[in-house]
Amino acid sequence: MQQPRRIARELALLSLSQITNSIEQLEQEQLTNLVLAAVRTLTGEIHEALETASAELKRGSDRLLTSETRATDVRSAKAMVSDAIELTERAINRLGIAVEMPEIIQLSNQREVRSYALEILQTINRRQVEIDEILTQSLQDWQINRLPRIDRDILRIAVAEIEFIGIPDRVAINEAIEIAKRYSDDEGYRFINGVLRRVTNLNKTPAPSVRENIL
């Protein structure tokens, strides 16, 4: 069984893009809204992943059928099929997460899960400009609005925890990586790890003294 705060993070992550009401209104509403939003996000991602994998598999298959004996076309077709298999595996992973949804729904009724999920959502809602500024400083050659939505939301949750909720750096980063392994890909979770390491390094960089500023 997963820890309550990990469930809360996943609930916040999956519902973040679906919530249309203000976070303050959510406090007065049933937790069902959060769970419903999470289910909708997960369902949408599964459909999208399966459709993309199916299209890629068809492209690879068509290329194989028309490639005849040209080696370059055969290699290209094999690469397409390989990509399709990877996308299909990702969709299957999403289905595996969906199977766990009853556990998430059951645990969501716990006061600690509900309270912490709402705290994360409220913090991101109220501090998003500051959170995104911190991320922008740490992204280097990336723009935050160009990131995949799931990676962007994982980063926002982690920065909210580190900067405004008081979760220790190591805990927030480790939790972000674990969630990224479930919802992103290998490249995604490594990227998230690197960005969050830079966020913590920014915090450790001492501010210049008054004398240094004058000089």
Side-chain angles (χ1 to χ4, degrees):
M1 182 177 291
Q2 297 188 52
Q3 298 176 356
R5 286 201 168 186
R6 184 165 293 178
I7 290 290
R9 290 183 185 96
E10 290 198 27
L11 198 56
L13 174 67
L14 291 173
S15 58
L16 194 56
S17 65
Q18 294 286 330
I19 293 171
T20 55
N21 295 332
S22 70
I23 303 300
E24 288 73 15
Q25 286 177 323
L26 273 175
E27 291 187 71
Q28 308 302 322
E29 296 179 3
Q30 296 293 323
L31 187 65
T32 306
N33 291 337
L34 286 181
V35 176
L36 181 59
V39 170
R40 284 174 175 166
T41 296
L42 201 52
T43 302
E45 288 190 351
I46 290 169
H47 281 305
E48 183 180 346
L50 286 172
E51 287 175 1
T52 304
S54 176
E56 193 70 14
L57 187 58
K58 186 177 186 308
R59 286 179 61 212
S61 177
D62 291 346
R63 179 70 63 86
L64 278 173
L65 290 173
T66 60
S67 62
E68 297 178 351
T69 58
R70 288 177 294 183
T72 54
D73 285 348
V74 172
R75 283 197 297 270
S76 175
K78 286 182 177 179
M80 287 180 181
V81 173
S82 177
D83 289 343
I85 291 171
E86 184 178 337
L87 290 166
T88 304
E89 289 175 348
R90 195 177 304 172
I92 291 171
N93 289 338
R94 291 287 193 276
L95 286 170
I97 296 170
V99 170
E100 298 173 7
M101 191 55 71
E103 179 185 358
I104 293 178
I105 293 171
Q106 181 182 8
L107 291 177
S108 295
N109 290 318
Q110 293 183 9
R111 183 184 299 273
E112 184 179 355
V113 171
R114 178 184 184 279
S115 174
Y116 196 61
L118 286 172
E119 184 177 1
I120 291 171
L121 291 169
Q122 288 167 346
T123 303
I124 293 173
N125 181 258
R126 293 168 182 162
R127 303 276 196 165
Q128 185 168 322
V129 171
E130 296 161 85
I131 289 170
D132 286 358
E133 284 178 356
I134 292 168
L135 285 172
T136 297
Q137 293 179 51
S138 305
L139 283 171
Q140 296 183 338
D141 296 329
W142 289 80
Q143 294 180 346
I144 191 166
N145 60 351
R146 300 291 297 275
L147 297 178
R149 181 195 56 78
I150 202 75
D151 292 352
R152 182 173 64 242
D153 287 347
I154 291 171
L155 286 168
R156 282 173 172 162
I157 289 171
V159 172
E161 288 192 304
I162 292 169
E163 299 289 339
F164 303 109
I165 299 178
I167 300 299
D169 296 357
R170 180 187 295 180
V171 173
I173 293 173
N174 287 343
E175 289 297 317
I177 291 171
E178 289 304 311
I179 292 177
K181 286 178 180 178
R182 283 167 61 80
Y183 292 97
S184 188
D185 51 28
D186 288 349
E187 184 178 342
Y189 89 75
R190 291 191 180 97
F191 174 77
I192 285 168
N193 180 39
V195 173
L196 293 177
R197 298 291 177 190
R198 289 194 289 273
V199 168
T200 58
N201 288 338
L202 283 175
N203 289 339
K204 294 173 183 176
T205 303
S209 65
V210 173
R211 185 171 182 274
E212 287 173 333
N213 284 333
I214 294 172
L215 294 175

